[in-house]
Amino acid sequence: MISTLRRGLLVLLAALPLLANAAPGQSAHDLIQDTTNRMLADLQANKEKYKQDPQDFYAALNNIVGPVVDAEGISKSIMTVKYSRKATPAQMQRFQENFKRGLFQFYGNALLEYNNQGITVDPAKDESGDRTSVNMTVKGSNGAIYPVQYTLEKIGGEWKLRNVIINGINIGKLFRDQFADAMQRNGNDLDKTIDGWAGEVAKAKQETDKAAAKPAQ
């Protein structure tokens, strides 16, 4: 059975991939709203191909989603100032790539299991500043509703994803805690923690599976 987190992440992965092709200056809400349907249509057209070659699917997710995600900001947030200020540019770049690769590989199959149960984007919020959120709900195959909240920041005039909260689980905070714990276990060896991040993502999923046992009503 797909866990609650994975059902929620269907929305994250479904809504993001075509965001990189959104019109410049588009609002955060419209960016999410307009591209979700297009992505689901693209998934439906290519699902069998992706099922046959998951690695191709993971690579496609990385290539398409990458431009809309503030990978640098997310990476620094996960590391926190304590560790990011010690990292070299090469280490930061490696962690950004490992972070995206681990996330897409781990949750890519969940997206392939989505069968158009239903996605709804809430009305737009105030977007006058440089930070906003867009709320969305996904209907699971069992009829339960799972809330998702995106946090976006305006960088260089364009909205970029900075965090996501799935069914009350703050993914950014979860990964920050996971990174700090890994650094302690690895004797503050930054390279070892960066290179082992895929394993940390797997551990983080186990934690979220436990916490997300009960869907929102």
Side-chain angles (χ1 to χ4, degrees):
M1 181 180 293
I2 306 173
S3 70
T4 299
L5 175 64
R6 290 182 68 200
R7 280 190 283 261
L9 275 161
L10 295 175
V11 182
L12 171 64
L13 294 176
L16 286 178
L18 289 182
L19 301 188
N21 298 323
Q26 189 174 23
S27 73
H29 176 271
D30 289 348
L31 183 147
I32 297 291
Q33 179 74 73
D34 295 345
T35 59
T36 299
N37 290 339
R38 286 188 287 141
M39 177 53 199
L40 294 178
D42 178 77
L43 176 62
Q44 184 177 12
N46 295 290
K47 180 178 288 188
E48 293 307 314
K49 171 188 172 183
Y50 291 149
K51 283 184 176 180
Q52 293 297 318
D53 190 356
Q55 291 299 324
D56 185 54
F57 182 44
Y58 305 149
L61 283 174
N62 184 50
N63 290 334
I64 299 172
V65 177
V68 78
V69 176
D70 180 15
E72 180 179 1
I74 294 174
S75 296
K76 288 181 178 179
S77 175
I78 292 173
M79 283 188 175
T80 71
V81 175
K82 179 179 180 180
Y83 301 115
S84 64
R85 66 185 178 187
K86 299 178 182 178
T88 66
Q91 286 175 320
M92 288 300 303
Q93 182 62 37
R94 198 163 81 251
F95 181 64
Q96 290 175 31
E97 294 303 319
N98 287 351
F99 167 74
K100 290 188 293 182
R101 186 182 303 112
L103 194 64
F104 297 151
Q105 287 181 350
F106 205 79
Y107 295 108
N109 288 337
L111 182 57
L112 292 176
E113 295 171 7
Y114 182 73
N115 290 311
N116 296 317
Q117 293 96 332
I119 290 176
T120 303
V121 181
D122 290 358
K125 297 183 178 180
D126 180 16
E127 297 186 13
S128 59
D130 292 330
R131 188 180 181 92
T132 191
S133 62
V134 177
N135 292 340
M136 181 184 287
T137 56
V138 60
K139 186 176 182 180
S141 58
N142 60 354
I145 300 299
Y146 302 92
V148 176
Q149 181 183 78
Y150 301 96
T151 298
L152 301 98
E153 289 192 2
K154 188 172 288 186
I155 301 174
E158 301 295 330
W159 289 106
K160 299 284 186 179
L161 181 76
R162 282 299 305 271
N163 193 26
V164 59
I165 298 174
I166 302 171
N167 205 36
I169 301 169
N170 188 317
I171 301 303
K173 182 180 184 304
L174 179 68
F175 283 151
R176 282 195 297 274
D177 293 344
Q178 202 75 27
F179 190 91
D181 180 65
M183 284 294 289
Q184 290 185 344
R185 286 186 281 104
N186 292 329
N188 287 320
D189 188 326
L190 193 55
D191 284 319
K192 187 174 182 179
T193 299
I194 290 172
D195 293 337
W197 184 247
E200 298 304 323
V201 172
K203 292 178 183 178
K205 181 187 179 291
Q206 292 175 357
E207 293 301 316
T208 53
D209 283 348
K210 293 177 183 177
K214 186 178 181 180
Q217 299 297 328

